[in-house]
C-alpha cells in the first residue's frame, strides 16, 4: 500500500504534462500502478481536497510539488483572489488573454497543488482560472477581506521554508502576474542603446518586500525606480532572472 503522498506526487507530475511512463520512472513505481492512480481511478472530487492538503495531515509536510506551489503562490499574490464566503472556497487567478501559455501554466499549477478540477471563465480581456476546494484556505493563509495592499501579507514559517528552496519559481509567479520583461531604449549623446529589462509593480509594500527577498536569495541585483515599482536592469541580473522567469507567452 503506497501512502497518499506518493499518489499525490504522481498526480501532480501527471497534471504538469508528464506521461504515465515518465511519472512511473521518476517515482520508481510500476507503470500499471501510476496508470490506475491517474487514469483508471482518478481521485474522487469529494475526497481529493482532504487527501491532498499537505497542511491537514496528522504530521503536516511539504506539498507534493513544491515548485508548483511556489509558482502558484506568486500568481495568487499578484493577480489572485481566494473567495471564502461561498459554501466551498474558490481560488481564482486572472490571466490576460494576451498570454495563453500563462493560462495553461496556472491551470497546471492548481492541479499539481490541490485541484481535481479547474475551470476557465472568459472575462473581458482575461480568463479567470479557478478551482473550488475546501482546503485552499489552508494553503493560502494570506487570504482575507479587502485588497492585498490594504492589509498585512506575511508568510507563515512553513511557506517561507518552501519559498527559500524554490525562490526562482516564486519569482516566476510574481513576474508572470505583476511583472514584465521588455526592451528598454535609451539615447546617450545621440546614440540609441537597447537592452532587456524586468519591471515588477505592486502597491503592497509586503508583497514588494517578498519579491526583493526572493531576488536577494538568488543574488539578483535590483533597485526601486519608484515607490511601487522594482527594476532589474543589469546585464548579469537580467540573465540570471531569465533562467528563472523568462518572458510571458
Amino acid at each position: 500500500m503506497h501512502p497518499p503522498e506518493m499518489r499525490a506526487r504522481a498526480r501532480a507530475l501527471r497534471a504538469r504534462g508528464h506521461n504515465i511512463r515518465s511519472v512511473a520512472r521518476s517515482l520508481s513505481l510500476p507503470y500499471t500502478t501510476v496508470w490506475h492512480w491517474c487514469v483508471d481511478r482518478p481521485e474522487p472530487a469529494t475526497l481529493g481536497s482532504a487527501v491532498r492538503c499537505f497542511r491537514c495531515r496528522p504530521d503536516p509536510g511539504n506539498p507534493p510539488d513544491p515548485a508548483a506551489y511556489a509558482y502558484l503562490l506568486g500568481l495568487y499574490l499578484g493577480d489572485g483572489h481566494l473567495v471564502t464566503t461561498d459554501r466551498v472556497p474558490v481560488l481564482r487567478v486572472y490571466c490576460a488573454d494576451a498570454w495563453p501559455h500563462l493560462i495553461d501554466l496556472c491551470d497546471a499549477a492548481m492541479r499539481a497543488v490541490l485541484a481535481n478540477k479547474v475551470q476557465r471563465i472568459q472575462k473581458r480581456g482575461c480568463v479567470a482560472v479557478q478551482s473550488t476546494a475546501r482546503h485552499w484556505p489552508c494553503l493560502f493563509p494570506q487570504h482575507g477581506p479587502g485588497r492585498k495592499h490594504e492589509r498585512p501579507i506575511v508568510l507563515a514559517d512553513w511557506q517561507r521554508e518552501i519559498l527559500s528552496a524554490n525562490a526562482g519559481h516564486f519569482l516566476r509567479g510574481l513576474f508572470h502576474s505583476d511583472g514584465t520583461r521588455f526592451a528598454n531604449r535609451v539615447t546617450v549623446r545621440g546614440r540609441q542603446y537597447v537592452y532587456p529589462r524586468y519591471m515588477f509593480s505592486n502597491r503592497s509594500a509586503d508583497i514588494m518586500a517578498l519579491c526583493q527577498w526572493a531576488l536577494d536569495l538568488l543574488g539578483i541585483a535590483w533597485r526601486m525606480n519608484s515607490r511601487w515599482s522594482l527594476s532589474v536592469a543589469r546585464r548579469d541580473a537580467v540573465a540570471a532572472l531569465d533562467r528563472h522567469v523568462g518572458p510571458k507567452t
Side-chain angles (χ1 to χ4, degrees):
M1 174 68 73
H2 296 283
E5 293 85 352
M6 185 64 75
R7 293 195 296 272
R9 288 181 62 191
R11 289 176 175 129
L13 290 171
R14 178 64 175 158
R16 297 185 69 186
H18 297 274
N19 60 40
I20 300 297
R21 192 170 302 281
S22 66
V23 173
R25 186 184 306 113
S26 64
L27 298 179
S28 299
L29 292 168
Y31 176 93
T32 53
T33 298
V34 176
W35 184 86
H36 281 299
W37 286 350
C38 299
V39 179
D40 186 44
R41 300 172 187 170
E43 202 166 58
T46 56
L47 299 178
S49 178
V51 170
R52 298 187 69 186
C53 181
F54 59 92
R55 295 302 304 167
C56 291
R57 298 168 187 162
D59 183 18
N62 289 323
D65 191 333
Y69 176 79
Y71 177 66
L72 185 59
L73 178 58
L75 291 180
Y76 162 74
L77 292 179
D79 291 326
H81 180 52
L82 180 55
V83 180
T84 57
T85 54
D86 293 342
R87 185 174 60 87
V88 181
V90 180
L91 176 64
R92 185 175 293 121
V93 177
Y94 295 94
C95 303
D97 289 340
W99 317 114
H101 185 50
L102 172 57
I103 297 171
D104 293 335
L105 291 174
C106 180
D107 184 309
M110 285 187 181
R111 296 177 189 273
V113 172
L114 184 68
N116 281 298
K117 181 179 180 182
V118 177
Q119 296 175 299
R120 302 185 184 192
I121 310 298
Q122 183 65 54
K123 304 287 185 178
R124 185 173 182 180
C126 69
V127 172
V129 182
Q130 65 181 44
S131 166
T132 58
R134 295 187 184 279
H135 289 259
W136 280 124
C138 308
L139 306 185
F140 295 94
Q142 288 70 36
H143 73 88
R147 300 176 180 178
K148 296 190 189 78
H149 69 274
E150 296 174 343
R151 54 186 170 87
I153 301 294
V154 181
L155 293 179
D157 290 342
W158 59 268
Q159 288 180 301
R160 189 170 291 273
E161 182 178 346
I162 294 171
L163 298 189
S164 295
N166 296 274
H169 295 283
F170 178 55
L171 286 171
R172 192 181 187 210
L174 289 177
F175 276 90
H176 277 185
S177 56
D178 282 340
T180 183
R181 184 187 189 277
F182 63 98
N184 192 48
R185 290 175 169 80
V186 296
T187 301
V188 179
R189 298 177 182 176
R191 185 174 180 179
Q192 188 176 75
Y193 297 86
V194 181
Y195 61 92
R197 183 182 187 184
Y198 280 94
M199 298 287 291
F200 176 76
S201 300
N202 195 292
R203 294 187 64 82
S204 167
D206 289 341
I207 295 176
M208 182 62 71
L210 289 175
C211 182
Q212 296 167 353
W213 167 71
L215 289 168
D216 288 342
L217 284 178
L218 297 176
I220 298 175
W222 55 269
R223 68 179 182 86
M224 298 297 293
N225 59 314
S226 73
R227 185 179 181 184
W228 310 117
S229 180
L230 176 150
S231 169
V232 175
R234 283 175 40 178
R235 181 179 300 176
D236 58 337
V238 170
L241 199 54
D242 276 342
R243 292 193 289 271
H244 298 285
V245 179
K248 290 185 285 190
T249 57

